[in-house]
């Protein structure tokens, strides 16, 4: 297809999914406590959100190149891309997680506390489930932008779907580029749909018209 | 005067919001349109400044058909106050109030002077004029809404549920001020509400509307309470309308003389309830001297519910009597000094005497 | 010599800064492309966004365009544009124009979405009051909706600018000037110092531009929209 073997395309897609997807999970794990802190500790909120947000201003290519300086890795190392994408995920998600926790109605939180929930237990059992819709919306944005951004790593020689772009460009061949773009978009949409589905499964109380 | 001449409004989906409404709203008065939701009261109001165009019929202001004037020009000459105040969040209070004068093409200095005056009239301070709406309370925002409607000195002010979003205490305050402003300026106010109490206490004339955009009755509050046109009006006006009607009943009751006592004066034991007053003769409260006697101290004086002024309605006189621990209602003159007291029976007797 | 030292050496070498291909000249070029692209995008997206927000027509497009563009890899689009347009263009423009077109295309959706959302977010009561006081449609837009939309218009512009600066960096691969040159050329000549030094400069440039736009945002957004809570 477009001068690209199916097996090669499949392998590149898996690599792409790995480089974009793992940082998403790690980013979420980091953002949950950060965002919770930002929503609960008044003076910490603005600097935390602004600080993580600033990371987002760094252009991806620059970050891929700079990380070896910080991490002591080789420029071709996957770790650079994984860490860079994690940073972007955290930059996007900290704010949404904070918004998600803020969106939990105060009266619900107070009712839970009044019934004897401890702070941590209440966050896990009450706040977190109610924050799922907002967090999931942010996660979908992060997933889609991660998938499209990872392709830039082809410029520093880390292989994934973006390699089809550089390969096609160097050979003056449109086919691989178009295939790569389409595969990347499909991957982004699949990841987006998966998160949307998961969020739906996690929030059965939001479904309308469910027969009793 | 605003005249509705067989005005009908049918929306695109086929619902008739207002049906053949004919009404003469007197100039220089407060007229209230009241009714349950869906009765077309807001639609009727919004047709006056052409925010809604009638399907048929005419609306005349002082004999001139509103549809003869360009809508924007017409609206600039009519004040408009809505429930959520609708202030512009990006402008200061002063700048909000300057809106219509500026739209009318007044220069900045003149617009500013007019706005400053309107802000003061609406009960806001010069300091608040420099604030942004988000820095004000709901009641203050509503005052800005009123100031904004008055700034260019319109003869007519339309108000759509202006007080339904503020708490009852603030609401009563704002209602009093509207009465005062209307009296001072002599403007025509048309106000929409779903609250019959607000309608009866504010309106010189009240138009009760029913579902489907029909006018059920157009009358003064006293008339509405005394002679509701039909069962709908009677039930809408409420169960206690007999008692409420007393609010509009002037009765000739002469207060009985009441012995008053000042703080420090000796009260003989067994005097019953005695009325304590200050040096100017203004009531302080009642002291229970049924089984106690001696010099009157402040701690002996109990505050009481309500005080009626001379010449006030039967409702207030009766309330003063019923809320007094001695069952004698305190009546004061225009300076607030005690004139005497009335018994509930005195008020009822006077009412009986009036109706025979 | 380790990577950090190489980078430091390149950054502190005066020769890196001056001259036709120096840091200063490339920074200016980078800024020029970026602001040009942002201006072009804003000229298209702001009026369309205002129109969509004011009339409510074409809402679907405004909402989904930003999401759709996010899913498209900019590097791929850049290459496609160059392969398509290069044979049809001549002279100096041949290298710059395809890249500039892509920069503008990618910047339009966020500005459009921000502008639309800003106008949409106008308090319906304020809009009703504005009409009721006798404002014409254009006056409502100019005096009420646009000032109220300013915070979201500015966030749209800032998001678009970050996208532009990043994409302009990678556009060095197709021959565009600017700071991306150091990253691409440094890699081609295995000069890690130049590569990382260029990355530091471009990161700082992006940060500086975002801070500058944040300052502009403070200037053009009414304090009434940012101060919250009834003060005494």
């Amino acid at each position: 297809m477009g001068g690209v073997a199916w097996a090669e395309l499949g392998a590149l897609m898996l690599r792409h999914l790995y480089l974009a997807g793992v940082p998403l999970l790690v980013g979420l794990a980091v953002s949950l406590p950060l965002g919770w802190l930002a929503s609960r500790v008044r003076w910490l909120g603005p600097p935390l959100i602004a600080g993580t947000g600033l990371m987002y201003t760094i252009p991806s290519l620059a970050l891929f190149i700079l990380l070896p300086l910080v991490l002591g890795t080789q420029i071709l190392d996957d770790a650079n891309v994984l860490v860079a994408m994690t940073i972007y995920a955290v930059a996007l998600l900290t704010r949404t997680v904070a918004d998600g926790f803020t969106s939990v109605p105060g009266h619900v939180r107070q009712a839970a506390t009044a019934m004897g929930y401890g702070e941590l237990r209440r966050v896990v059992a009450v706040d977190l489930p109610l924050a799922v819709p907002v967090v999931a919306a942010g996660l979908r944005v992060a997933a889609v932008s991660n998938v499209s951004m990872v392709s830039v790593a082809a410029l520093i020689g880390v292989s994934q779907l973006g390699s089809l772009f550089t390969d096609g460009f160097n050979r003056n061949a449109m086919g691989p580029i178009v295939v790569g773009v389409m595969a990347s978009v499909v991957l982004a949409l699949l990841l987006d749909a998966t998160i949307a589905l998961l969020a739906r499964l996690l929030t059965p109380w939001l479904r309308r018209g469910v027969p009793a | 005067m605003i005249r509705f001449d067989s005005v009908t409004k049918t929306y695109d989906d086929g619902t008739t919001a207002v049906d053949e409404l004919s009404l003469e709203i007197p100039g220089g008065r407060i007229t209230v349109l009241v009714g349950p939701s869906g009765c077309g009261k807001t639609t009727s109001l919004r047709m006056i400044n052409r925010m809604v165009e009638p399907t048929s019929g005419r609306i005349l202001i002082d004999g001139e058909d509103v549809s003869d004037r360009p809508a924007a020009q017409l609206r600039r000459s009519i004040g408009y106050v809505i429930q959520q105040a609708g202030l512009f969040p990006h402008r200061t209070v002063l700048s909000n109030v300057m809106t219509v004068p500026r739209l009318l093409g007044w220069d900045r200095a003149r617009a500013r002077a007019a706005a400053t005056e309107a802000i003061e009239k609406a009960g806001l301070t010069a300091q608040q004029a420099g604030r942004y709406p988000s820095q004000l309370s709901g009641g203050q925002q509503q005052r800005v809404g009123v100031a904004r409607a008055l700034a260019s000195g319109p003869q007519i002010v339309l108000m759509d549920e202006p007080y339904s979003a503020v708490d009852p205490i603030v609401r009563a305050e704002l209602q009093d001020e509207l009465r005062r402003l209307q009296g001072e300026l002599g403007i025509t106010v048309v106000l929409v509400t779903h609250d019959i109490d607000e309608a009866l206490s504010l309106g010189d004339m009240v138009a009760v509307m029913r579902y489907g955009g029909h006018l059920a009755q157009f009358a003064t509050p006293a008339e509405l309470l005394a002679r509701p046109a039909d069962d709908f009006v009677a039930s809408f006006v409420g169960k206690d309308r007999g008692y409420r009607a007393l609010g509009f009943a002037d009765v000739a009751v002469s207060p009985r003389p009441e012995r008053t006592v000042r703080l420090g004066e000796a009260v003989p034991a067994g005097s019953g309830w005695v009325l304590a007053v200050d040096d100017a003769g203004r009531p302080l409260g009642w002291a229970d001297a049924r089984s106690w006697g001696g010099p009157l101290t402040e701690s002996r004086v109990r505050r009481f519910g309500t005080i009626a002024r001379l010449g006030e309605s039967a409702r207030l006189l009766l309330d003063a009597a019923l809320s007094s621990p001695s069952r004698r209602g305190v009546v004061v003159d225009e300076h607030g000094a005690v004139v005497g007291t009335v018994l509930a029976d005195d008020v009822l007797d006077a009412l009986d005497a009036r109706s025979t | 010599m380790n990577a950090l030292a190489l980078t430091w050496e390149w950054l502190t070498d005066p020769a890196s800064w001056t001259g036709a291909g120096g840091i200063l000249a490339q920074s200016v070029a980078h800024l020029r492309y970026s602001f040009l692209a942002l201006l072009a995008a804003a000229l298209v997206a702001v009026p369309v966004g205002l129109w969509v927000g004011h009339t409510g027509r074409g809402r679907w497009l405004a909402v989904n365009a930003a999401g759709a563009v996010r899913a498209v890899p900019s590097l791929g689009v850049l290459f496609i544009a160059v392969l398509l347009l290069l044979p049809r263009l001549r002279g100096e423009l041949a290298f710059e124009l395809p890249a500039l077109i892509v920069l503008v295309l990618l910047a339009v959706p966020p500005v459009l979405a921000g502008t639309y959302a800003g106008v949409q977010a106008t308090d319906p009561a304020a809009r009703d009051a504005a009409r009721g006081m006798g404002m014409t449609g254009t006056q409502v837009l100019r005096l009420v909706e646009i000032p109220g939309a300013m915070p979201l218009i500015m966030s749209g512009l800032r998001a678009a600018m970050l996208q532009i600066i990043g994409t302009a960096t990678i556009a060095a691969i197709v021959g565009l000037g600017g700071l991306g040159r150091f990253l691409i050329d440094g890699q081609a000549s295995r000069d890690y110092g130049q590569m990382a030094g260029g990355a530091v400069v471009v990161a700082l440039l992006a940060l500086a531009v975002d801070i500058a736009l944040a300052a502009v945002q403070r200037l053009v957004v009414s304090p009434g929209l940012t101060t919250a809570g009834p003060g005494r």
Side-chain angles (χ1 to χ4, degrees):
Chain A
M1 197 173 79
V4 184
W6 281 105
E8 189 198 351
L9 184 62
L12 288 175
M13 270 182 103
L14 276 181
R15 285 270 306 154
H16 204 105
L17 182 64
Y18 162 70
L19 290 171
V22 170
L24 220 50
L25 297 177
V26 180
L28 182 63
V30 174
S31 309
L32 281 175
L34 279 185
W36 179 78
L37 265 181
S39 75
R40 297 301 289 164
V41 186
R42 189 181 280 255
W43 61 268
L44 208 55
L48 205 54
I49 287 171
T52 50
L54 274 187
M55 307 296 286
Y56 203 75
T57 62
I58 305 173
S60 50
L61 184 58
L63 194 54
F64 294 150
I65 292 172
L66 286 175
L67 279 173
L69 282 186
V70 182
L71 303 173
T73 44
Q74 293 300 306
I75 184 88
L76 277 171
D77 205 321
D78 281 355
N80 301 324
V81 179
L82 289 169
V83 171
M85 298 326 286
T86 304
I87 288 175
Y88 289 132
V90 171
L92 274 176
L93 287 174
T94 302
R95 171 182 284 266
T96 28
V97 170
D99 288 348
F101 280 122
T102 313
S103 76
V104 177
H107 59 89
V108 172
R109 200 180 292 137
Q110 278 162 23
T113 307
M115 281 185 283
Y117 273 104
E119 174 81 10
L120 183 66
R121 187 135 174 243
R122 195 206 66 222
V123 169
V124 174
V126 180
D127 296 12
L128 196 56
L130 290 177
V132 162
V134 179
V135 174
L139 196 60
R140 290 172 66 182
V141 170
V144 171
S145 75
N146 258 15
V147 168
S148 68
M149 222 176 328
V150 160
S151 56
V152 172
L155 293 180
I156 53 162
V158 174
S159 81
Q160 25 69 33
L161 288 170
S163 309
L164 293 174
F165 307 162
T166 45
D167 181 44
F169 187 67
N170 291 336
R171 294 192 284 124
N172 209 358
M174 190 67 103
I177 306 179
V178 173
V179 169
V181 168
M182 278 169 26
S184 173
V185 169
V186 167
L187 199 60
L189 295 182
L190 279 178
L191 212 50
D192 182 62
T194 307
I195 297 166
L197 185 71
L198 280 176
R200 205 178 132 83
L201 291 177
L202 284 172
T203 56
W205 60 90
L206 291 178
R207 264 172 262 163
R208 264 176 282 171
V210 179
Chain B
M1 189 184 72
I2 304 168
R3 203 172 96 202
F4 281 72
D5 200 352
S6 316
V7 173
T8 295
K9 175 65 191 181
T10 308
Y11 283 108
D12 291 340
D13 63 0
T15 52
T16 298
V18 178
D19 193 17
E20 289 286 319
L21 178 68
S22 290
L23 188 64
E24 285 199 0
I25 295 172
R29 293 268 186 287
I30 298 180
T31 298
V32 180
L33 309 181
V34 65
S37 62
C39 72
K41 53 192 190 295
T42 293
T43 304
S44 302
L45 183 86
R46 288 163 66 92
M47 284 193 290
I48 298 174
N49 67 351
R50 295 187 62 190
M51 291 293 277
V52 174
E53 298 285 356
T55 311
S56 67
R58 297 189 309 161
I59 295 168
L60 306 156
I61 296 179
D62 294 330
E64 192 198 345
D65 193 329
V66 293
S67 63
D68 290 346
R69 287 174 69 185
Q73 194 201 333
L74 172 80
R75 290 175 195 150
R76 288 170 198 175
S77 70
I78 299 175
Y80 186 58
V81 182
I82 57 178
Q83 183 186 343
Q84 301 295 346
L87 302 182
F88 305 143
H90 62 289
R91 292 193 183 178
T92 61
V93 167
L94 181 69
S95 169
N96 259 286
V97 178
M98 282 167 67
T99 304
V100 177
R102 293 292 286 161
L103 286 174
L104 287 168
W106 297 9
D107 64 54
R108 199 162 272 284
R110 186 177 165 212
R112 177 184 284 267
T116 307
E117 197 189 324
I119 286 169
E120 201 177 302
K121 267 188 208 145
L124 294 162
T125 63
Q127 196 202 1
Q128 285 163 333
R131 298 242 174 97
Y132 286 95
S134 61
Q135 299 167 318
L136 302 178
S137 69
Q140 289 165 340
Q141 290 185 17
Q142 207 54 41
R143 284 173 197 269
V144 178
V146 171
R148 192 171 64 170
L150 293 175
S152 63
Q155 276 311 296
I156 298 172
V157 175
L158 308 179
M159 308 181 92
D160 188 1
E161 302 261 5
Y163 306 130
S164 53
V166 293
D167 68 72
I169 294 169
V170 177
R171 187 185 310 155
E173 218 172 272
L174 293 173
Q175 287 169 342
D176 283 349
E177 282 180 30
L178 176 65
R179 273 228 146 280
R180 175 179 60 77
L181 277 173
Q182 189 274 331
E184 271 174 28
L185 304 171
I187 49 177
T188 307
V189 173
V190 187
L191 185 143
V192 159
T193 180
H194 62 267
D195 176 1
I196 185 67
D197 289 316
E198 181 166 84
L200 294 174
S201 67
L202 271 182
D204 293 308
M205 292 296 287
V206 176
V208 182
M209 297 182 70
R210 76 174 65 164
Y211 188 78
H214 301 279
L215 180 64
Q217 188 171 3
F218 184 52
T220 63
E223 175 85 8
L224 220 49
L225 287 163
R227 281 178 289 279
D230 55 22
D231 289 349
F232 170 77
V233 177
S235 77
F236 192 74
V237 168
K239 268 189 184 152
D240 54 349
R241 68 172 192 273
Y243 180 63
R244 282 198 217 181
L246 297 179
F248 301 94
D250 297 319
V251 288
V253 183
S254 355
R256 299 159 184 260
E258 178 76 37
R259 195 167 66 89
T260 57
V261 185
R262 284 162 207 239
L263 291 179
E265 278 180 37
V267 180
S271 322
W273 287 97
V274 294
L275 182 61
V277 295
D278 66 10
D279 291 341
R282 288 186 296 248
L284 292 172
W286 293 94
D288 184 358
R290 283 174 295 193
S291 54
W292 161 90
L296 186 61
T297 57
E298 204 168 349
S299 60
R300 287 272 166 199
V301 178
R302 270 173 63 183
R303 302 272 154 208
F304 41 77
T306 58
I307 304 171
R309 274 175 191 276
L310 264 183
E312 264 182 334
S313 71
R315 182 175 175 172
L316 290 171
L317 287 169
L318 198 56
D319 197 63
L322 295 175
S323 65
S324 159
S326 67
R327 296 287 168 255
R328 304 198 292 277
V330 179
V331 181
V332 297
D333 63 16
E334 65 271 29
H335 306 296
V338 173
V339 178
T341 52
V342 291
L343 299 177
D345 280 341
D346 299 340
V347 182
L348 297 177
D349 288 346
L351 280 168
D352 279 344
R354 199 186 57 142
S355 57
T356 48
Chain C
M1 205 164 11
N2 71 19
L4 211 56
L6 282 171
T7 311
W8 182 250
E9 192 190 26
W10 185 80
L11 278 173
T12 49
D13 181 359
S16 311
W17 288 82
T18 51
I23 294 173
L24 292 176
Q26 297 292 30
S27 295
V28 170
H30 207 111
L31 285 173
R32 192 162 52 85
Y33 293 135
S34 300
F35 277 99
L36 204 65
L38 185 69
L39 183 69
L43 284 178
V44 177
V46 171
V48 175
L50 291 178
W51 182 79
V52 172
H54 186 70
T55 62
R57 268 176 269 175
R59 194 175 314 178
W60 183 88
L61 182 81
V63 173
N64 290 295
V69 161
R70 207 178 293 122
V72 178
S74 44
L75 184 64
V77 180
L78 203 58
F79 285 155
I80 291 176
V82 171
L83 288 188
L84 278 181
L85 295 173
L86 198 56
R88 292 171 178 78
L89 295 168
R90 255 176 238 126
E92 250 182 80
L93 266 185
F95 287 98
E96 290 188 355
L97 201 60
L100 281 176
I101 289 174
V102 172
L103 293 185
V104 175
L105 279 181
L106 294 177
V108 164
V111 181
L112 179 63
T115 309
Y116 157 77
V119 175
Q120 264 299 287
T122 309
D123 177 10
R127 198 180 282 138
D128 185 70
R131 283 214 312 133
M133 284 189 291
M135 287 192 193
T136 60
T138 35
Q139 281 172 330
V140 173
L141 184 67
R142 189 163 56 81
L143 300 173
V144 181
E145 290 174 336
I146 293 181
M150 236 27 198
L152 287 178
I153 295 178
M154 283 306 299
S155 344
L157 287 173
R158 284 171 67 181
M161 196 54 162
L162 290 183
Q163 169 89 43
I164 289 174
I165 291 179
T167 310
T169 310
I170 61 174
I173 192 84
V174 298
L176 193 72
L179 293 169
R181 287 256 61 84
F182 299 121
L183 282 68
I184 300 297
D185 296 347
Q187 198 202 14
S189 57
R190 309 228 163 262
D191 179 353
Y192 186 78
Q194 185 188 356
M195 212 172 148
V200 169
V201 177
V202 80
L204 290 177
L205 181 94
L207 193 60
V209 169
D210 194 50
I211 290 172
L213 287 180
V216 172
Q217 179 164 9
R218 282 182 71 96
L219 280 180
V220 299
V221 170
S222 156
L225 296 171
T226 46
T227 47
R232 285 279 124 190

